[in-house]
């Protein structure tokens, strides 16, 4: 499936914006982690995967979720994230997880539950990276389960649900009128026009 230039440009703009947001969120993570501990700080997780559902929801093409997340993670890395190279590596697995949620529905469903599933699957990718990087022995069973549960909830809410709200707000401004997210409305308008002509 071919991408239009405007879709590529929009994805780049949104990925860069999300990457800068990720960097700021990474900086905020340190004091939050000091206050509530590293497990509690996982409540912040969902913001780090928001690029995937935002871009996928707007463009609605295979690969959009994965590319957006990896690009945003690369921007976070290049702008000086204290997480270093791991910011990019974890972004790859988060992007794969997020992409899988849309692939399961054959890139035809983009309602809020699918966007939230995308955030949850990104959390699975994140946990997979943590286990690969640190090993199972790094975590107690309780810590592992609690971290996983918190990341899934955060991914669903701060990733998927928040992405839905942000994109819907953008739709209301008219800036997304010529993107796939409005294709159903466009088709409806075309059908109405056809009926009038009949």
């Amino acid at each position: 499936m071919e991408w239009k230039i405007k879709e590529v440009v929009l994805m780049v703009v949104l990925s860069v914006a999300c990457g800068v947001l990720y960097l700021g969120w990474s900086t905020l993570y340190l004091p939050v982690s000091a206050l509530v501990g590293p497990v509690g700080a996982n409540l912040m997780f969902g913001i780090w995967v928001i690029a995937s559902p935002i871009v996928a929801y707007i463009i609605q093409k295979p690969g959009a979720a994965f590319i957006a997340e990896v690009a945003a993670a690369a921007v976070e890395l290049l702008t000086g994230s204290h997480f270093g190279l791991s910011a990019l590596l974890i972004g790859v697995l988060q992007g794969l997880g997020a992409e899988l949620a849309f692939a399961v529905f054959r890139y035809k469903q983009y309602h809020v539950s699918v966007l939230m599933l995308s955030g949850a699957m990104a959390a699975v990718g994140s946990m997979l990276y943590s286990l690969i990087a640190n090993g199972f022995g790094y975590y107690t069973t309780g810590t592992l389960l609690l971290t996983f549960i918190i990341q899934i909830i955060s991914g669903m809410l701060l990733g998927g649900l928040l992405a839905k709200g942000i994109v819907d707000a953008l739709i209301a401004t008219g800036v997304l009128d010529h993107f796939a997210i409005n294709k159903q409305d466009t088709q409806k308008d075309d059908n109405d026009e056809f009926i009038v002509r009949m």
Side-chain angles (χ1 to χ4, degrees):
M1 187 176 294
E2 293 182 358
W3 285 53
K4 298 175 182 176
I5 295 297
K6 65 183 179 183
E7 293 171 335
V8 174
V9 170
L10 182 66
M11 185 190 67
V12 170
V13 169
L14 291 175
S15 296
V16 169
C18 287
V20 173
L21 172 64
Y22 290 3
L23 177 65
W25 207 241
S26 296
T27 303
L28 184 61
Y29 174 83
L30 294 174
V32 171
S33 181
L35 287 174
V36 301
V39 174
N42 281 291
L43 288 168
M44 300 174 63
F45 169 80
I47 291 295
W48 281 303
V49 298
I50 200 170
S52 289
I54 284 179
V55 173
Y57 185 29
I58 295 171
I59 296 177
Q60 302 188 4
K61 287 186 176 176
F66 174 72
I67 296 170
E69 185 61 29
V70 173
V75 170
E76 180 188 357
L77 169 63
L78 295 173
T79 51
S81 172
H82 66 271
F83 289 123
L85 184 59
S86 64
L88 178 60
L89 298 177
I90 198 170
V92 171
L93 289 181
Q94 288 172 172
L96 286 172
E99 183 75 25
L100 181 60
F102 300 105
V104 165
F105 294 93
R106 303 179 70 177
Y107 302 99
K108 294 180 179 179
Q109 300 292 329
Y110 291 89
H111 45 75
V112 66
S113 58
V114 178
L115 298 178
M116 292 176 74
L117 177 62
S118 174
M121 292 302 294
V124 173
S126 176
M127 183 55 66
L128 181 60
Y129 173 81
S130 296
L131 290 173
I132 292 171
N134 300 319
F136 283 93
Y138 183 80
Y139 305 94
T140 65
T141 302
T143 299
L144 180 64
L145 290 176
L146 186 57
T147 297
F148 191 38
I149 290 169
I150 292 173
Q151 284 191 354
I152 286 179
I153 293 171
S154 182
M156 292 173 69
L157 298 179
L158 293 182
L161 187 60
L162 182 57
K164 175 80 163 66
I166 290 171
V167 175
D168 286 352
L170 289 173
I171 291 172
T173 69
V175 298
L176 301 178
D177 283 352
H178 302 290
F179 289 90
I181 192 168
N182 279 312
K183 66 184 175 184
Q184 291 178 342
D185 292 336
T186 301
Q187 289 170 354
K188 181 176 182 295
D189 291 342
D190 289 344
N191 290 336
D192 290 344
E193 186 178 356
F194 179 74
I195 291 170
V196 170
R197 289 176 179 174
M198 290 292 288

